[in-house]
Amino acid sequence: MGEAGPGPGPGAGPGPGPREAQEPEEDEAAAPGGARGGRAGPRGGIRVLKRNAKRAGSRSCQSRSRVGSRERTWLKGDVGRGCLYVYGRDSAAAAPSDLRLVLCTVDTQASEICDGEGRKNLFLQLHGDLVRRLEPTEKPLQIVYDYLAGLGFDDPLRMQEEAANSDLSCMIRFYGEKPCQVEQLDRILLSGVYNVRKGKTQLHKWAERSVTLCGTCLIVSSVKDSHAGKMHILPLVGGKVEEMKRRQYTLAFTSAGAQAQTYHISFETLAECQRWHRQASTIVSMRFSMVDLSCYSLEEVPEHLFYSQDITYLNLRHNFMRTSGAGSLDSLCSLQTFWLDGNFLTSLPEEMGNLQQLNCLGLSFNNFCELPAICEKLVNLDKLALAGNLLETLDLTVLNRMSHIKSVDLRLNNLKRAAADTLEGNKSVAYMDLRDNQMTDLDLSSLVSLEQLHCERNKLRELTLSGFSLRALYANSNCLTAVNIYPVPGLLTYLELSHNQLQCVPDWACEAKKLEVLDVSYNLLLELPSRILRSLSLRKLMVGHNRLQSLPPLLEHIPLEVLDLQHNLLTKLPETLFVKALNLRYLNASANSLESLPSACTGEESLSMLQLLYLTNNNLTDQCIPVLVGHPNLRILHLASNNLQTFPASKLSKLEHLEELNLSGNKLKTIPTTVANCKLLHTLIAHSNEISIFPEILHLPRIQFVDLSCNELTEILIPEALPGSLQELDLSGNTNLVLEHKTLDIFSHITTLKIDAKPSLTADSALTSTFWNHGVAEMAGQRNKLCVSSLALGSFAEGMEAVYGMFDGDKNEELPRLLQCTMADVLLEEVQQSDTMFMSNTFLVSHRKLGMAGQKLGSSAVLCYIRNEVADPASNFSLTVANVGTCQAVLCRSGKALPLSKVFSLEQCSEEARRVKEQKAIITEDNKVNGVTCCTRMLGCTYLHPWILPKPHVSSIPLTVQDELLLLGNKALWEHLSHAEAVSAVRHLHDPRAAAKKLCTLAQSYGCQDNVGAMVVCLNISEDNCTCEMHGLTLPGPGGFSSTTTKPATPSCSSGIASEFSSELSASEVSSEVGSTASDEHGAVGLDGSLLPRQERRCSLHPVPPSSIFQRQPSSATFSSNQSDNGLDSDDEQPVEGVMTNGSKVEVEVDIHCCKGKGLELERPAAEYSSSAPGPENDSGLVLIIRRQNSVNSNTVQRGVKEKCELQKSLSTCCLYGKKLSNGSIVPLEESLNLIEVATEAPKKKTGYFAAPSQVEPEDQFVVPPDLEEEVKEQMKQHQEDGADQELKEELAAPLPEEFDTAL
């Protein structure tokens, strides 16, 4: 055994002393026989830190670990060392227990820890749910390290750090006593201390005992005040409870059976006696027939179950059962349903052959290699579940001997073939499930009674079946080229053959007289047989994603109700489609080449019942609009991405039943005013058009969602009150739209209002937009809540980096929002710690930080990080992508889709499905892990560990000139759009917002009804944006100055720092704050007057590798949310920009430039006011410049140096000759050599990074309250006099350095 404590040993330094190791809330508790301090005792010297941590349920996992300094030093000496948190009994009814911090090594066994604490056992709890007892030889710390390694951590030092974090207790926790499960606590109905007498006679005396009515039993303790002694359990089901007449307030509890026992309990009050009587009477009348003991950490069948004769249902799923622990199951003679899924069984005991009434046996996800022979004796068994085992061959001969079995579930095995020794037919099996195996050919023609077959997601090329009894066939997601069924299945009603390689519809399918549903989508069909459309039984036909160029004509009336024709090559529909298919209610013909639509009626009156019509992404023109009038029952109409220019008002007025209208991606100028006649309309989507007049839709009583983004709206005429049903209004992308304050006040009552922020020309926005800009779209679909969130930071960290992410919580919205708010900060911290594993660690740390919220909830995630490669300064940007779950990222390179993500789901990743199956997860019939999710890797869902892991797939790729777009989307988007189609659909669009909107619209038109989210990032990574000297572009320095030396610039320690201060602060106090903001250890190097050799000038595409002068740190912005009294709420007063007053407090927007003025000259405009004050000893040159900021609509940038005023008209010149500040302003290099920024107004956009306007207008005035006017004037006058003298001295003393471009 290795080291077990902080005592001296091989490779270890001196251990901490008894006093030095203590912290204010810690004291040592040496193990019996051990020694205090740093000397190892006879039991290995395990060190225990005892802390009284009051824990209220689950809140304990939020407390932070506080290990002493000596303990930290000891831990750093060896990665094999670590600490464990050992909890007491976790019971809501118990008093707060002690929390012990145990220092040990990976070789320390559980028995040593138990001996050190004086306990018998050590228990392990995973994800707050499953509990098991550790064997004495197991090593707890090694278990923790193995757990962290299973999550995805690779670095031993990082695992040691994570193991010491108390947040980990939400996932893995140790107990000194077995915790009481919450489910068991919920079963406690009544409890108390009462006088108890045992037996019907008076031979026994009355004694005070603790009595509990729990579940279906009465529990009486053998001692007075605790449950520590022997417990007497009295089953009440089938027994009786009655009142005693001889003693007041006394009840007699009697169990059932010949050996019945009786307990008399005396209560103090009548109300208490009646309450116990009511509860016990309910239990007595119950019939105990169903027992659920799943997830109870059982190693054998509980003994008390053998005395229950009435049990018909027994669930022992997810335990640790083995064949030896089955016990005397033959006593459960009434058992009918027995579930043993998720255990470690390899065979069944012979005693189970006596369960003659058993009709359902679940053995899924065990270790069976063949069909259990004991099933032949269970003559009443008709359902056998063996999914997720190790079967490799389907032995039909053995199955024939089990003539009583009707249903067989063999999903997720290793089946490769089906074998039979004889040609004898099987007349019993009616249901067979062979999904997710490895079969290439399947012949089940001997199963003559087969009614339903599932064989999805195999590798089948050919399938042969008997059609005598066949009713449903599910064979999608294979490689089928032929399906043979003989005879013709006359009873077949459902046929699913999608995602195969069929080139024609089988002939026998055309002759099936009762076929109601046919799905042959995603095949290679060139034509559709006319017999299929003439079928008198077919109700639903799915032929999308094929190569159909035309459909056969309809000559007779057909009962077809649903027709899906999307993604084919159709140029027209049959002329009699709407006339002959009068029952047609759903038609999807999107993504074809339709130019016209067939007429809906031949006479004056239409009989069409069509309600849902999807015609998105065709070539339809205005001529198709009159045809739509023939469908008066239309509820949903999608005409997006066509060639519509007008929508006649008279036609729209006749669609009175319309509820959802999508006209996006056309060339419409207006929406007809007759839209007001559509009283049932609740959704209007018309983005990406040329609409200039806001439609009259705000009078509609049921309107909920309106999307008019990316149009040409200029003004909005709205009623005095909006409809109460309106939930979302999207007006973004209308560059000419100006909303009055009265309009904004009315819109403030809308749950979601999307409008463009006021444009501001800043260096940050201008420079980042040169390389990338993004657009986001999120739509709820048919769901009542949006469970998709996105992260978009176009200017991240030092400015020339970007982070984009998409998070999909499926049915929960909490986790996506948490990840949206926290994941960027985690990434910034991890980038500073590691240059290789930062993206993987970002996901793992975010997973841990979800805490209790992540125990039961989960989320898919994709994160994209664009940055310059530090190791290769000459390279361009690189893109690193990580994802878990079903969110994906796709890069468009030279017009082709380049997937960067991996889909972690059971259906699309066979490796993950194999891993989950080997780890004994229960995969339900809908292909979900434990019936919860189809994903195998997610953030959160820790209670599904180790089946669900947070380790992401990480890929990195250098960005090139050929890279055009980066697409991010959730599961719903990529289920309905292929990567290639998504790229081709938006590649020609210049507006990323319109592109993202189009992707979501296409997904909805293609059948998506779930939440859908899309993000489009337009990339412009080219050498044309490079301004490096190495590429031939040089910046000449001023004449007379040295071109080889300059003063080093000391950038701000974080991007987007904002602080607030009032006019009551003196200049010296402000200077002190400024000095503390520049928390750079090497700040003195940039403040001295020495000159350093000039480095080669680099642009943001090719930055200079960071030197030791500057270290990037996480952003620590503080924003003010106070509203100014002098805002835009009043029409009588014009606000003063840059000055916000609130009572006696004045908040001024400022730029503070900290300049060491030896070689620096600042020439100020006449309208600027400057003040200076003495600062620290080395900051005598600190200058506080308080300037009024310009309007956000300004289009120029004011320079502080007169020589560069002529450059302010060119944005590219500003970027070339100026240094980009973290708040987005551009200043000349003379002012940016030593720079600290302080701003007072919080950003309003979601990115969280501050962009402050920087232009100064000459007529600006500094406004102060009247009572402070004289004092401010006096200070300003004194400062100007001192500043002028100082500037003159500096100008004569030192020349200006040469200017050059510096990267962030």
Side-chain angles (χ1 to χ4, degrees):
M1 188 188 73
E3 291 177 319
R19 294 298 96 192
E20 296 172 333
Q22 289 185 355
E23 290 189 357
E25 295 183 9
E26 300 177 356
D27 61 348
E28 292 182 357
R36 287 183 176 268
R39 297 185 301 274
R43 291 187 175 89
I46 298 175
R47 185 169 180 78
V48 180
L49 301 180
K50 179 181 178 182
R51 56 176 86 250
N52 293 324
K54 294 185 177 180
R55 298 177 292 112
S58 60
R59 296 181 181 177
S60 60
C61 67
Q62 304 297 330
S63 61
R64 301 291 296 176
S65 62
R66 292 193 300 169
V67 185
S69 58
R70 286 300 183 92
E71 279 73 16
R72 295 190 187 96
T73 304
W74 179 78
L75 291 176
K76 292 180 181 179
D78 185 1
V79 294
R81 301 170 181 173
C83 61
L84 297 175
Y85 291 91
V86 180
Y87 294 80
R89 178 182 293 271
D90 188 12
S91 174
S97 55
D98 293 342
L99 169 64
R100 295 175 180 268
L101 185 64
V102 180
L103 301 178
C104 57
T105 69
V106 293
D107 295 323
T108 304
Q109 297 182 355
S111 59
E112 299 177 58
I113 297 178
C114 293
D115 294 342
E117 291 193 311
R119 301 180 184 273
K120 295 182 179 180
N121 296 303
L122 194 65
F123 296 88
L124 171 65
Q125 183 184 44
L126 295 177
H127 46 73
D129 187 10
L130 190 64
V131 179
R132 73 174 181 89
R133 177 180 54 83
L134 293 180
E135 296 293 335
T137 57
E138 290 189 85
K139 303 171 182 179
L141 186 59
Q142 185 63 50
I143 293 176
V144 175
Y145 284 175
D146 291 342
Y147 181 90
L148 293 173
L151 290 181
F153 286 104
D154 296 329
D155 186 10
L157 289 176
R158 187 57 187 267
M159 287 194 292
Q160 185 185 64
E161 177 185 345
E162 290 293 321
N165 198 313
S166 61
D167 290 347
L168 195 66
S169 62
C170 293
M171 295 183 280
I172 182 170
R173 179 180 295 190
F174 294 94
Y175 285 96
E177 301 179 25
K178 187 173 182 178
C180 185
Q181 299 285 348
V182 177
E183 292 81 0
Q184 296 174 356
L185 297 176
D186 294 340
R187 295 170 59 87
I188 298 178
L189 304 177
L190 296 170
S191 63
V193 178
Y194 306 104
N195 288 320
V196 180
R197 191 188 72 185
K198 181 180 179 181
K200 298 182 179 180
T201 64
Q202 299 184 4
L203 298 177
H204 297 86
K205 297 182 179 179
W206 292 89
E208 285 189 352
R209 293 290 182 266
S210 177
V211 184
T212 303
L213 187 62
C214 178
T216 60
C217 300
L218 182 71
I219 304 175
V220 181
S221 64
S222 58
V223 294
K224 176 180 177 182
D225 295 327
S226 70
H227 295 275
K230 181 180 179 180
M231 309 300 294
H232 302 278
I233 301 177
L234 184 70
L236 296 179
V237 176
K240 60 181 180 180
V241 55
E242 53 188 357
E243 297 183 9
M244 291 186 61
K245 299 180 180 180
R246 299 182 179 180
R247 188 177 178 92
Q248 192 177 22
Y249 311 147
T250 302
L251 297 177
F253 296 85
T254 305
S255 61
Q259 304 294 330
Q261 295 183 344
T262 300
Y263 281 90
H264 298 85
I265 302 177
S266 178
F267 302 94
E268 297 181 357
T269 62
L270 176 62
E272 200 170 18
C273 180
Q274 291 176 345
R275 184 166 63 252
W276 278 75
H277 190 267
R278 285 194 302 269
Q279 290 284 0
S281 299
T282 304
I283 297 174
V284 166
S285 60
M286 292 173 57
R287 288 297 173 262
F288 199 60
S289 60
M290 300 181 65
V291 177
D292 187 353
L293 294 176
S294 59
C295 301
Y296 267 73
S297 305
L298 298 176
E299 299 178 6
E300 58 183 14
V301 179
E303 184 178 354
H304 62 82
L305 290 179
F306 302 142
Y307 302 99
S308 303
Q309 304 294 326
D310 299 330
I311 296 179
T312 59
Y313 176 95
L314 179 58
N315 185 0
L316 295 176
R317 284 186 174 123
H318 276 311
N319 284 285
F320 299 97
M321 305 289 298
R322 300 183 184 273
T323 305
S324 59
S328 302
L329 293 175
D330 53 347
S331 61
L332 303 175
C333 54
S334 301
L335 193 62
Q336 299 177 10
T337 303
F338 194 12
W339 297 108
L340 287 166
D341 304 354
N343 284 278
F344 296 89
L345 300 174
T346 57
S347 61
L348 296 178
E350 293 294 331
E351 293 83 357
M352 284 193 61
N354 298 325
L355 304 180
Q356 293 300 310
Q357 296 189 28
L358 191 66
N359 54 41
C360 181
L361 178 60
L363 301 174
S364 299
F365 303 98
N366 282 279
N367 298 322
F368 290 93
C369 297
E370 58 184 2
L371 296 176
I374 194 67
C375 295
E376 298 181 23
K377 300 180 181 180
L378 303 174
V379 294
N380 288 321
L381 185 66
D382 59 7
K383 183 176 182 180
L384 176 62
L386 277 167
N389 281 276
L390 306 177
L391 278 73
E392 295 185 356
T393 302
L394 175 58
D395 195 338
L396 298 178
T397 304
V398 176
L399 196 60
N400 291 339
R401 294 200 296 264
M402 305 176 185
S403 58
H404 45 276
I405 294 181
K406 298 179 180 179
S407 175
V408 181
D409 184 359
L410 297 174
R411 297 175 295 116
L412 293 159
N413 278 274
N414 300 325
L415 294 175
K416 298 178 181 179
R417 64 188 185 94
D421 296 338
T422 62
L423 298 178
E424 181 183 358
N426 187 306
K427 299 182 180 180
S428 60
V429 176
Y431 176 90
M432 178 77 74
D433 195 340
L434 300 174
R435 282 177 285 183
D436 299 287
N437 280 282
Q438 304 175 24
M439 309 185 76
T440 56
D441 295 285
L442 181 61
D443 185 353
L444 297 179
S445 56
S446 61
L447 303 182
V448 295
S449 298
L450 186 64
E451 298 180 2
Q452 183 171 331
L453 173 64
H454 283 274
C455 57
E456 303 100 301
R457 293 179 297 279
N458 278 270
K459 301 177 182 179
L460 294 176
R461 296 188 298 265
E462 187 173 355
L463 177 62
T464 303
L465 299 174
S466 171
F468 285 107
S469 304
L470 192 63
R471 298 177 182 270
L473 172 60
Y474 302 86
N476 57 290
S477 302
N478 282 283
C479 305
L480 288 171
T481 58
V483 180
N484 304 314
I485 299 181
Y486 183 82
V488 173
L491 301 177
L492 185 66
T493 59
Y494 194 103
L495 178 60
E496 183 174 349
L497 298 173
S498 62
H499 293 87
N500 281 286
Q501 299 177 11
L502 298 174
Q503 296 184 359
C504 60
V505 179
D507 291 337
W508 53 263
C510 302
E511 300 176 5
K513 302 300 182 182
K514 294 186 178 181
L515 185 63
E516 297 181 1
V517 178
L518 174 61
D519 187 354
V520 288
S521 56
Y522 292 94
N523 277 280
L524 306 176
L525 301 181
L526 298 176
E527 60 179 0
L528 194 64
S530 58
R531 290 180 297 173
I532 287 292
L533 286 180
R534 292 201 303 264
S535 173
L536 299 180
S537 60
L538 195 62
R539 299 289 188 271
K540 183 177 181 179
L541 177 61
M542 314 289 286
V543 291
H545 296 272
N546 281 281
R547 302 175 182 178
L548 301 177
Q549 297 183 0
S550 62
L551 295 178
L554 295 179
L555 303 177
E556 302 175 354
H557 289 280
I558 57 175
L560 197 64
E561 299 178 2
V562 176
L563 179 59
D564 190 342
L565 302 170
Q566 61 174 299
H567 288 87
N568 279 284
L569 304 175
L570 299 174
T571 56
K572 63 178 182 179
L573 298 176
E575 292 296 332
T576 58
L577 175 63
F578 298 125
V579 177
K580 298 300 182 181
L582 296 178
N583 293 331
L584 191 64
R585 288 174 170 80
Y586 174 95
L587 173 62
N588 194 332
S590 301
N592 281 280
S593 301
L594 299 178
E595 297 179 356
S596 61
L597 296 177
S599 175
C601 57
T602 56
E604 297 181 356
E605 184 178 359
S606 173
L607 301 178
S608 173
M609 301 295 294
L610 191 64
Q611 298 182 10
L612 291 84
L613 179 59
Y614 297 90
L615 298 171
T616 295
N617 199 12
N618 280 283
N619 299 323
L620 297 175
T621 61
D622 301 346
Q623 299 178 358
C624 73
I625 302 300
V627 179
L628 300 177
V629 180
H631 305 285
N633 297 310
L634 271 180
R635 295 190 298 107
I636 297 178
L637 175 61
H638 281 218
L639 290 170
S641 300
N642 281 283
N643 298 321
L644 302 180
Q645 296 183 356
T646 60
F647 201 115
S650 60
K651 308 303 180 184
L652 184 59
S653 62
K654 296 182 180 180
L655 301 177
E656 298 180 352
H657 294 86
L658 206 60
E659 299 178 6
E660 180 178 328
L661 178 61
N662 193 328
L663 300 172
S664 59
N666 286 282
K667 301 177 182 179
L668 297 175
K669 303 290 184 180
T670 60
I671 299 294
T673 57
T674 53
V675 71
N677 294 338
C678 303
K679 301 298 183 180
L680 302 179
L681 190 68
H682 59 73
T683 300
L684 174 63
I685 304 176
H687 63 81
S688 306
N689 280 281
E690 301 173 3
I691 300 174
S692 58
I693 302 176
F694 191 82
E696 299 181 6
I697 55 175
L698 298 182
H699 297 279
L700 298 176
R702 297 189 180 182
I703 193 69
Q704 298 178 9
F705 177 83
V706 178
D707 187 353
L708 294 171
S709 59
C710 303
N711 279 285
E712 299 178 1
L713 295 175
T714 56
E715 60 179 356
I716 299 179
L717 299 178
I718 60 175
E720 293 295 333
L722 296 179
S725 58
L726 186 60
Q727 299 178 4
E728 182 171 343
L729 176 61
D730 192 347
L731 301 175
S732 58
N734 292 277
T735 56
N736 299 323
L737 180 61
V738 178
L739 298 180
E740 299 178 353
H741 301 295
K742 182 179 180 181
T743 304
L744 290 175
D745 290 340
I746 297 177
F747 283 164
S748 63
H749 301 289
I750 304 177
T751 304
T752 303
L753 174 64
K754 298 180 181 179
I755 58 176
D756 289 335
K758 293 183 179 180
S760 60
L761 185 60
T762 63
D764 190 50
S765 61
L767 197 56
T768 55
S769 62
T770 305
F771 304 115
W772 50 71
N773 58 333
H774 68 273
V776 182
E778 298 168 351
M779 297 183 180
Q782 303 295 327
R783 301 268 293 275
N784 57 358
K785 64 178 180 179
L786 184 64
C787 300
V788 177
S789 296
S790 57
L791 171 66
L793 298 178
S795 177
F796 179 68
E798 295 180 1
M800 288 314 301
E801 298 180 356
V803 173
Y804 300 102
M806 182 75 67
F807 313 104
D808 186 359
D810 191 15
K811 296 181 180 180
N812 79 88
E813 56 186 345
E814 292 82 2
L815 256 61
R817 292 182 180 179
L818 282 174
L819 295 171
Q820 179 190 33
C821 297
T822 60
M823 208 160 188
D825 294 334
V826 176
L827 173 62
L828 189 57
E829 295 175 359
E830 295 299 329
V831 167
Q832 295 175 355
Q833 295 186 23
S834 173
D835 287 333
T836 56
M837 300 297 298
F838 64 91
M839 192 61 95
S840 179
N841 289 343
T842 296
F843 275 68
L844 300 179
V845 173
S846 299
H847 174 75
R848 170 175 57 80
K849 288 193 172 186
L850 292 175
M852 301 299 295
Q855 282 192 344
K856 302 298 182 182
L857 304 177
S859 175
S860 297
V862 60
L863 193 66
C864 303
Y865 178 37
I866 303 176
R867 67 166 182 169
N868 281 106
E869 284 293 346
V870 179
D872 187 7
S875 68
N876 281 356
F877 296 98
S878 69
L879 172 63
T880 303
V881 179
N883 82 294
V884 292
T886 53
C887 292
Q888 300 180 59
V890 177
L891 181 67
C892 173
R893 173 168 290 181
S894 300
K896 298 182 179 180
L898 180 62
L900 301 177
S901 307
K902 183 177 182 180
V903 180
F904 291 102
S905 67
L906 292 172
E907 296 182 358
Q908 301 187 39
C909 188
S910 58
E911 297 87 356
E912 287 293 292
R914 190 180 307 111
R915 176 186 64 83
V916 170
K917 185 187 72 172
E918 291 174 354
Q919 293 172 340
K920 303 304 178 184
I922 299 297
I923 301 177
T924 53
E925 293 184 358
D926 55 353
N927 219 35
K928 293 184 177 181
V929 180
N930 277 34
V932 176
T933 177
C934 64
C935 298
T936 58
R937 298 198 184 187
M938 299 176 68
L939 296 180
C941 279
T942 57
Y943 80 107
L944 293 178
H945 178 86
W947 314 308
I948 306 297
L949 297 176
K951 184 178 181 180
H953 170 267
V954 182
S955 62
S956 184
I957 184 173
L959 295 179
T960 65
V961 180
Q962 291 77 25
D963 296 327
E964 305 171 17
L965 298 171
L966 177 63
L967 308 182
L968 283 74
N970 68 330
K971 175 185 177 182
L973 179 72
W974 300 118
E975 276 186 344
H976 296 85
L977 271 82
S978 65
H979 296 159
E981 183 182 4
V983 167
S984 62
V986 300
R987 185 188 176 195
H988 64 283
L989 298 178
H990 300 289
D991 184 0
R993 180 192 291 110
K997 292 275 187 181
K998 182 176 181 179
L999 291 179
C1000 292
T1001 298
L1002 291 178
Q1004 289 186 333
S1005 297
Y1006 296 163
C1008 176
Q1009 298 182 352
D1010 206 344
N1011 292 167
V1012 59
M1015 181 184 298
V1016 177
V1017 183
C1018 294
L1019 302 174
N1020 187 20
I1021 310 298
S1022 65
E1023 294 298 330
D1024 296 338
N1025 299 320
C1026 179
T1027 59
C1028 294
E1029 289 180 351
M1030 58 183 290
H1031 290 95
L1033 182 60
T1034 60
L1035 183 63
F1041 297 105
S1042 173
S1043 61
T1044 59
T1045 59
T1046 183
K1047 291 177 60 176
T1050 305
S1052 175
C1053 66
S1054 63
S1055 176
I1057 293 183
S1059 43
E1060 51 180 305
F1061 62 96
S1062 67
S1063 61
E1064 299 173 357
L1065 290 175
S1066 64
S1068 61
E1069 291 172 332
V1070 176
S1071 301
S1072 176
E1073 284 192 24
V1074 173
S1076 63
T1077 305
S1079 57
D1080 200 326
E1081 295 179 0
H1082 304 279
V1085 178
L1087 291 175
D1088 60 16
S1090 61
L1091 298 178
L1092 299 178
R1094 176 176 179 266
Q1095 298 180 353
E1096 183 182 36
R1097 183 177 57 78
R1098 295 293 187 90
C1099 70
S1100 297
L1101 272 174
H1102 309 98
V1104 178
S1107 64
S1108 60
I1109 295 177
F1110 173 65
Q1111 181 180 2
R1112 180 174 57 185
Q1113 298 183 7
S1115 175
S1116 56
T1118 303
F1119 300 119
S1120 172
S1121 60
N1122 296 331
Q1123 298 295 330
S1124 173
D1125 291 341
N1126 194 19
L1128 299 177
D1129 297 334
S1130 175
D1131 297 332
D1132 300 330
E1133 298 179 358
Q1134 287 294 331
V1136 180
E1137 297 179 355
V1139 179
M1140 298 167 285
T1141 62
N1142 188 1
S1144 61
K1145 183 178 181 179
V1146 179
E1147 298 181 357
V1148 186
E1149 297 180 359
V1150 299
D1151 279 351
I1152 299 178
H1153 297 257
C1154 180
C1155 307
K1156 184 73 174 178
K1158 287 188 177 182
L1160 210 57
E1161 179 184 1
L1162 297 177
E1163 299 186 15
R1164 305 174 181 82
E1168 286 190 1
Y1169 291 87
S1170 301
S1171 61
S1172 64
E1177 182 179 355
N1178 293 330
D1179 294 337
S1180 58
L1182 183 66
V1183 178
L1184 172 63
I1185 304 175
I1186 304 180
R1187 60 177 67 173
R1188 174 187 160 193
Q1189 301 293 336
N1190 66 309
S1191 171
V1192 293
N1193 294 320
S1194 173
N1195 293 320
T1196 59
V1197 180
Q1198 178 68 30
R1199 292 299 185 185
V1201 180
K1202 295 180 179 179
E1203 288 79 5
K1204 295 296 180 290
C1205 290
E1206 65 273 9
L1207 299 178
Q1208 64 182 0
K1209 298 180 181 180
S1210 174
L1211 178 61
S1212 61
T1213 311
C1214 295
C1215 299
L1216 179 64
Y1217 286 89
K1219 176 179 174 63
K1220 186 172 72 68
L1221 308 183
S1222 59
N1223 71 340
S1225 60
I1226 299 292
V1227 299
L1229 294 177
E1230 292 88 346
E1231 293 185 17
S1232 65
L1233 295 182
N1234 194 2
L1235 177 63
I1236 298 173
E1237 304 159 13
V1238 178
T1240 58
E1241 185 173 3
K1244 298 299 188 291
K1245 56 184 179 180
K1246 294 182 178 180
T1247 59
Y1249 288 84
F1250 183 68
S1254 58
Q1255 181 179 351
V1256 179
E1257 297 179 1
E1259 67 274 14
D1260 289 350
Q1261 299 293 330
F1262 181 65
V1263 180
V1264 295
D1267 55 340
L1268 299 177
E1269 185 175 356
E1270 294 299 329
E1271 181 180 354
V1272 171
K1273 286 182 178 180
E1274 196 66 32
Q1275 293 184 6
M1276 291 298 182
K1277 182 179 179 181
Q1278 182 65 29
H1279 170 69
Q1280 289 178 351
E1281 294 175 357
D1282 297 341
D1285 296 340
Q1286 181 67 18
E1287 288 179 7
L1288 183 58
K1289 294 179 182 179
E1290 294 176 354
E1291 185 176 358
L1292 297 175
L1296 284 171
E1298 181 185 2
E1299 302 171 10
F1300 63 95
D1301 187 12
T1302 55
L1304 276 176

